[in-house]
Amino acid sequence: NAGVTQTPKFRILKIGQSMTLQCTQDMNHNYMYWYRQDPGMGLKLIYYSVGAGITDKGEVPNGYNVSRSTTEDFPLRLELAAPSQTSVYFCASSPVLGRQYFGPGTRLTVT
Amino acid sequence: DQQVKQNSPSLSVQEGRISILNCDYTNSMFDYFLWYKKYPAEGPTFLISISSIKDKNEDGRFTVFLNKSAKHLSLHIVPSQPGDSAVYFCAVTHIKDDKIIFGKGTRLHILP
């Protein structure tokens, strides 16, 4: 099992560009999450999904969009990138609420 | 307002001694508590959890203590080893919620 995979590992965007961060899990988990971690800060929830076709906003959803068309995939879309979106992004999945399995992260810089 | 507070940004402990990491939460409705460990350039990994019906849970060198009246939990690592050097996140949730709330983390340095 690969667990939770994220691509790309690193990306530099110019202000105003768009991109999609990919997240895939092969554990058949219903719950999936996107977090961002800024330096010295904890993990802040951007969006989450409790199953295919269902998504909901977390604490910091502005500037992002998600979709969940399959159990396995939960891509995060950034439209009109801004410097404030420079961060490390983590995707996670869990079979039930509680223990989450995290991907290795995507380090994004917006300049 | 932070619902989960880890007031020590960093902690240094001698190898072989006990490491104690602390976490406070504000909402008495939280009933499930977790600790995650994170190495640089990796995602967090689950370490140990405890539900509100218990006040202690052990897993090898790791023990989590829960004091519901004080809204406080702590993670004890005994004995501390070099590989324990990492950032530790406390996380809380309610069993009927879909989300987990993370603290800001405590960086643990194990000194040789």
Side-chain angles (χ1 to χ4, degrees), chain B residues 32-75:
Chain B
Y32 192 66
F33 308 89
L34 309 96
W35 285 93
Y36 283 81
K37 175 178 179 179
K38 185 183 179 305
Y39 292 121
E42 293 183 12
T45 55
F46 169 80
L47 195 54
I48 193 169
S49 63
I50 188 168
S51 79
S52 58
I53 61 172
K54 294 186 173 182
D55 53 19
K56 177 182 171 181
N57 188 28
E58 271 183 274
D59 184 0
R61 296 186 298 113
F62 303 91
T63 303
V64 56
F65 294 91
L66 176 63
N67 182 335
K68 289 187 288 292
S69 61
K71 298 194 198 70
H72 176 83
L73 64 154
S74 60
L75 174 69

Side-chain angles (χ1 to χ4, degrees), chain A residues 12-102:
Chain A
I12 298 175
L13 277 184
K14 293 191 187 306
I15 294 171
Q17 287 184 322
S18 302
M19 77 165 294
T20 299
L21 282 68
Q22 302 292 344
C23 175
T24 300
Q25 53 97 3
D26 62 0
M27 297 173 282
N28 202 34
H29 288 168
N30 285 326
Y31 292 78
M32 294 189 76
Y33 305 84
W34 273 106
Y35 295 92
R36 59 178 286 173
Q37 186 189 14
D38 300 325
M41 302 296 286
L43 297 160
K44 296 202 172 183
L45 183 65
I46 306 171
Y47 271 95
Y48 67 102
S49 168
V50 301
I54 306 169
T55 62
D56 211 341
K57 294 178 181 179
E59 184 184 355
V60 289
N62 291 345
Y64 307 94
N65 274 302
V66 293
S67 60
R68 183 98 183 268
S69 56
T70 66
T71 299
E72 295 78 21
D73 300 305
F74 191 41
L76 177 72
R77 178 85 179 157
L78 278 73
E79 304 282 1
L80 298 174
S84 61
Q85 293 178 305
T86 293
S87 190
V88 181
Y89 291 83
F90 291 101
C91 179
S93 72
S94 65
V96 292
L97 179 66
R99 177 176 178 171
Q100 295 183 3
Y101 296 77
F102 282 82

